[in-house]
Amino acid sequence: MSEAEAAEARRTETIPEWKRVEVAELVDFIESYDSVGVVDVTGIPSRQFQQMRRGLHGSAEVRMSRNTLMRRALAEVDRGFETLTEYVAGQVAFIATDDNPFGLFKQLEASKTPAPINAGEVAPSAIVIPEGDTGIDPGPFVGELQQVGANARIQDGSIKVLEDSEVLEAGEVVDDTLANVLSELGIEPKEVGLDLRGVYADGVLFEPEELELDLDAYRADVESAAAGARNLAVNAAIPTAGTTPTLLALAAGNAKSVGLFAAIEDSELMPDLVARADAQLRALAARIDDEDALPEELRGVEVAAEPEVEADADADADADADDESSDEDEEAAEADDGDGDDGDDDDDAGAEGLGAMFG
């Protein structure tokens, strides 16, 4: 046996039985959960700490012990949990859950409550005394407010703060006067709760900065990316479980458009073909000035819009098809401009033919 092994054996023999039991229980505790972390419990009153533990019941469990025993338990478990050892300093505790680290962090942040700040403590953020009536009768307190930097005056029989007054910057130490003023006003500038120092799960060590996410914004980004990928797949005609229904609907709509353009006599197309023919007939009838040349049912008609072909495909999937159609329409319009006289002659001939038919 080497000297190091002998020293370790002697140290183990001198460990009291209650410490061995405690370490064994901590090891079982760590191995029983998917996520294990270390939380800072500094400055949390015992009563409030117990309330927090009860609030976490069923979703997470907190276990306190001596720091030396916590470090030994982490070393015995190994498997990466020993990386939490660096956070075991000061007043800390283990916290364990089967939830993921992000859910644990969100739950701990939501459980924090406002608390008064004492003299000698460091302000976690800028301390502001808000504008308004303090509700305190005139007296020495107005001087204390002015002493800490608040713009306070006696008005209408009461002490009032005339504007929001920042009396301490973040990171500065609270003195006795400011602590008394804040207590008198009922201002609680700090939050009390379990501060997560680090959590180990699935072979990864997470720190609070990595867990502090805006979940709503993150979810919106994922949904936007998914929608963009789907539109890309539809426009590229890539068949997947998510795009196939849209591709089929788009293909059906395009096939119907081709059928109507080619005037194919089909049972599904006939209602649209008849409606389009009726619209064209009415448009032509509207160009004839002599109503006596028209049958009674066509006299005084107004131009009716031709029926649009409805497609069930998504608007995003149709965007490229609409762009192509617009380009074709522009080309056709340019061609018509080139021989516009012929088009007018054709319309006049059509009108004369209709007058001959119904004259």
Side-chain angles (χ1 to χ4, degrees), residues 219-265:
R219 184 180 296 106
D221 289 342
V222 172
E223 291 174 350
S224 176
R230 180 178 180 275
N231 288 339
L232 178 62
V234 168
N235 288 318
I238 299 174
T240 66
T243 62
T244 297
T246 301
L247 290 173
L248 291 176
L250 181 60
N254 290 338
K256 184 176 182 181
S257 297
V258 172
L260 289 173
F261 181 78
I264 297 174
E265 298 179 3

Side-chain angles (χ1 to χ4, degrees), residues 7 31-32 166 209 215 243 325 345:
E31 292 179 336
S32 299
E166 182 177 318
E209 296 78 10
L215 296 182
T243 62
S325 177
D345 292 342

Side-chain angles (χ1 to χ4, degrees), residues 298-310:
L298 292 178
R299 294 176 183 176
V301 296
E302 296 180 356
V303 179
E306 293 189 24
E308 296 181 357
V309 179
E310 295 183 358

Side-chain angles (χ1 to χ4, degrees), residues 3 9 13 17 30 36 39 43 80 116 132 165 218 226-227 232 243 252 270 281-282 290 295 315 330 333:
E3 293 183 4
E13 290 175 358
E17 181 63 22
I30 295 170
V36 177
V39 290
S165 303
Y218 187 77
L232 178 62
T243 62
M270 287 307 296
L281 176 62
R282 291 176 178 274
D290 186 2
E330 290 176 3

